[in-house]
Amino acid sequence: MTQTSAKPEAGDNRNLRRDVGLIGLLFASVGSIIGSGWLFGAMNAAQKAGPAAIISWSIGAVMILLIALTFAELGTMFPVSGGVVRFPHIAFGSFASYTSGWILWIACGTVAPIEVEGALQYATKYAAFTSKSTVNGDTVHTLTGLGYLTAVVLLALFVVVNYTGVRWFARVNNVLVWWKLAIITVVVIAFLVTQFHPSNFTSKGFMPNGWEGVFTAIATSGIVFSFLGFRQGIELAGETSNPPEVRAHRRHRVGDPHRDHLCGVAGGVHRLSQPA
């Protein structure tokens, strides 16, 4: 295994510039976790599990933490880019890597459009980016002409940022993550101080849909989708400027319980701020 792992690492050193530092890797993961899921995920989980969505977020955090710690160990042993695909190749061979690579490619191809559509749904308050309709009793938001045009521009911007280089990506992402953290902190404090309603824990029952609602929320409301953002730090391991430094911190940062619960706390406070 040692001989096999030496080749991909050497290839990364030859073809990729190691311009991402420890903070850049950390913020790549944090920025992916704190996406549209911190509001949409909290809303959907509360609809399915009620106040017990707090349990859903906690269970989801523990589940993904076990996976994240495994990847943290592998990422420090084999600091190569595309670890989610490269690790199966090292352990199981080309076919496993080929299969997981196509699955990951399809999954990653949907993330950017999902985030753009989520952002435009937020922004519908300011312009007609989406139109609301009802399908089978559920409210859905569909992009309008303006929404499609804006989505194309935003996706093109993502391409430019990634094409320019990982160093620029890391710098832009660091600024955005600090902004996200600031917004979430302000929202949590503001709702706790001005609009916190403890009665929401019991007004319709703490667990209105039982344990079925709790476990359904984990898989279908965006909880797992949000937490899986930790993978970005693993994917960029081959572009790390100082692998030994990252190796010393990765195990602690990937499993930070405060960060794992940040999305759930922020969304829960938002939900509890609404009158019963």
Side-chain angles (χ1 to χ4, degrees), residues 23 41 47 74 80 85 93-94 98 111 141 161 163 177 197 201 211-212 223-224 241 255 274:
I23 299 298
Q47 290 175 344
L74 291 172
V80 296
V85 177
S94 299
Y98 172 84
V111 172
H141 292 262
V161 171
Y163 181 80
V177 170
H197 298 284
F201 278 110
W211 284 104
E212 179 183 356
I223 293 176
V224 170
S241 58
Q274 305 302 313

Side-chain angles (χ1 to χ4, degrees), residues 139-159:
T139 301
V140 297
H141 292 262
T142 306
L143 291 177
T144 61
L146 177 61
Y148 277 114
L149 178 61
T150 307
V152 169
V153 173
L154 290 176
L155 288 172
L157 180 61
F158 293 165
V159 172

Side-chain angles (χ1 to χ4, degrees), residues 10 16 37 41 55 58 65 77 79 82 86 101 118 121 137 142 154 172 182 185 192 205 221-222 237 249 256 265:
L16 297 175
I55 300 177
S58 299
L65 177 62
M77 292 172 62
R86 305 291 286 279
Q121 187 174 332
T142 306
L154 290 176
V172 172
T185 301
L192 281 175
S221 66
H249 292 80
D256 187 350
V265 170

